[in-house]
Amino acid sequence: MPWHADPRIVTVLLGLSAAVALAAPGPARASAPGTPRLDGPTCPTSDRTAGPTRTPTGGDAARKPLHLVPPEPGQPVVAATPSHWTGSRMTLTGLRVEGVVQLPTVDGTVTTLKFKLDRAVTDDLRLDVPAPAGRTPHLRTGELTLSGNVALYATRLVGKLLDDTITLAPDLPLPDGVPLASAAPITLTEPAIDMVFVDSDTLTARSTLKLTPS
């Protein structure tokens, strides 16, 4: 049976909001800097691997550095150290790359790339959340769906789009073939996201969410 969560506890489940995580006991606290252990795909340092040349979907403007946009009103404080979000496949519907956002942390800000979506579905989700004392709790589910006013903030997003590996980050221009907006669904395989914050109207897991302490 599907599992549903009130949108207010999305950040608690994902461990992405330091404001919420500060109140949680033990390893669920994500506010202190930690060193995440990344067992799945990792984010490469280059912005794309070698592959066939593609005609840029968004034109030259899409490849220019993205502009800075302000945080949403009421944005909570977030953890300075991203969580690591991986899966076998991620389908993004109604994708809009909004720009670069500096989100507040306890000690300053963290620079992120902001995506807005109508819906995001991740197959075989694994979320590694950095915690104090070098611990990294893991959250798993067979399929996680975020829908309705989805906002996703990441310091890096890597995935395979057709035959190419792409990397999206605040300090990089959009790669060839990646539009600023797409009405058609975009499917990435082997997604690896350094996730800082995510928000949506609803969260649905096809199988039970399993939290495993490090």
Side-chain angles (χ1 to χ4, degrees):
M1 293 292 291
W3 180 90
H4 300 271
D6 185 289
R8 292 171 297 181
I9 54 178
V10 170
T11 53
V12 177
L13 289 170
L14 301 183
L16 302 178
S17 171
V20 175
L22 279 168
R29 295 175 59 195
S31 59
T35 302
R37 183 172 66 256
L38 308 183
D39 300 325
T42 57
C43 297
T45 55
S46 60
D47 65 327
R48 61 186 282 145
T49 58
T53 302
R54 292 188 176 278
T55 302
T57 308
D60 291 339
R63 298 198 304 277
K64 294 179 180 178
L66 295 168
H67 61 284
L68 189 68
V69 296
E72 295 288 339
Q75 169 67 47
V77 173
V78 302
T81 302
S83 297
H84 195 63
W85 176 303
T86 60
S88 60
R89 181 173 62 180
M90 189 175 193
T91 302
L92 310 173
T93 303
L95 173 67
R96 284 96 67 198
V97 183
E98 298 246 311
V100 176
V101 181
Q102 294 181 337
L103 295 183
T105 67
V106 172
D107 299 320
T109 61
V110 57
T111 303
T112 67
L113 190 57
K114 179 182 179 181
F115 305 89
K116 289 285 287 183
L117 305 115
D118 299 326
R119 180 182 174 91
V121 181
T122 305
D123 296 340
D124 306 312
L125 169 76
R126 170 170 170 154
L127 184 74
D128 296 337
V129 183
R135 292 175 292 184
T136 309
H138 314 298
L139 184 69
R140 293 176 178 270
T141 186
E143 180 184 275
L144 185 74
T145 300
L146 303 169
S147 58
N149 298 307
V150 181
L152 186 156
Y153 300 80
T155 59
R156 192 167 292 263
L157 184 153
V158 178
K160 290 185 178 179
L161 181 63
L162 299 178
D163 296 328
D164 291 343
T165 297
I166 62 167
T167 298
L168 307 180
D171 57 342
L172 298 175
L174 289 184
D176 293 356
V178 177
L180 286 169
S182 174
I186 295 175
T187 297
L188 300 176
T189 56
E190 300 180 17
I193 308 172
D194 291 333
M195 183 82 69
V196 176
F197 184 77
V198 65
D199 192 19
S200 67
D201 291 342
T202 62
L203 176 152
T204 305
R206 175 181 289 178
S207 58
T208 303
L209 284 166
K210 297 179 180 180
L211 180 62
T212 304
S214 59

